[in-house]
Amino acid sequence: MTVNLKTQFGNVEISNEVIATVVGGAATENFGIVGMASRKQVRDGLIEILNRENYSRGIVVRQEDEEIVIDVYIIVSYGTKISEVSKNVQEHVMYQLEANLGIKAKSVNVFVQGVRV
């Protein structure tokens, strides 16, 4: 599945893997994030911290009514305020999508899959 953008020069198609890479990079830059978690923990094992090549396993990009909705699965650091970390992730992901890809997301849903020391 891809996101289609119409520009004055033609059409641009951006794949979900590219969006997932930008979102994963933006999410892991935030203070309090240990890493990305797999969205399918039963199949992929217990809470596994994903490396940069596997960000698409921890991010879901859906298209609803011509807008995109992003689900981000993260692992937070022990001792941080989870609500603040989640809010920062949402804001930073929205900003990076707009700045890097020119895409506005309808919503960014953050799912905290675990806490690590």
Short mmCIF file of all heavy atoms in Angstrom, two decimals, residues 38 40 46 66 82 110:
data_model
loop_
_atom_site.label_atom_id
_atom_site.label_comp_id
_atom_site.label_asym_id
_atom_site.label_seq_id
_atom_site.Cartn_x
_atom_site.Cartn_y
_atom_site.Cartn_z
N SER A 38 7.73 -4.88 18.64
CA SER A 38 6.98 -5.54 17.59
C SER A 38 5.49 -5.46 17.89
O SER A 38 5.07 -5.61 19.03
CB SER A 38 7.41 -7.00 17.46
OG SER A 38 6.60 -7.65 16.51
N LYS A 40 3.30 -7.55 16.82
CA LYS A 40 2.79 -8.92 16.94
C LYS A 40 3.73 -9.71 17.84
O LYS A 40 4.55 -10.49 17.39
CB LYS A 40 2.72 -9.57 15.55
CG LYS A 40 1.74 -8.89 14.63
CD LYS A 40 1.72 -9.54 13.29
CE LYS A 40 0.77 -8.79 12.38
NZ LYS A 40 0.82 -9.27 11.02
N LEU A 46 8.66 -12.60 22.77
CA LEU A 46 8.32 -11.61 23.78
C LEU A 46 8.84 -10.25 23.36
O LEU A 46 9.36 -10.08 22.27
CB LEU A 46 8.90 -12.04 25.12
CG LEU A 46 8.23 -13.26 25.74
CD1 LEU A 46 8.97 -13.68 26.99
CD2 LEU A 46 6.78 -12.96 26.07
N GLU A 66 -8.89 8.96 2.93
CA GLU A 66 -7.86 9.79 2.28
C GLU A 66 -6.88 10.43 3.26
O GLU A 66 -6.17 11.36 2.90
CB GLU A 66 -8.52 10.87 1.41
CG GLU A 66 -9.41 10.34 0.33
CD GLU A 66 -8.69 9.44 -0.66
OE1 GLU A 66 -7.55 9.76 -1.03
OE2 GLU A 66 -9.27 8.42 -1.05
N ILE A 82 5.23 8.24 31.40
CA ILE A 82 4.79 7.60 30.16
C ILE A 82 3.89 8.53 29.34
O ILE A 82 4.01 8.60 28.12
CB ILE A 82 4.09 6.26 30.45
CG1 ILE A 82 5.10 5.28 31.03
CG2 ILE A 82 3.45 5.68 29.20
CD1 ILE A 82 4.53 3.97 31.50
N VAL A 110 -0.02 5.89 20.04
CA VAL A 110 1.17 5.34 20.67
C VAL A 110 0.74 4.21 21.62
O VAL A 110 -0.10 4.43 22.49
CB VAL A 110 1.96 6.41 21.44
CG1 VAL A 110 3.16 5.81 22.15
CG2 VAL A 110 2.40 7.51 20.49
#
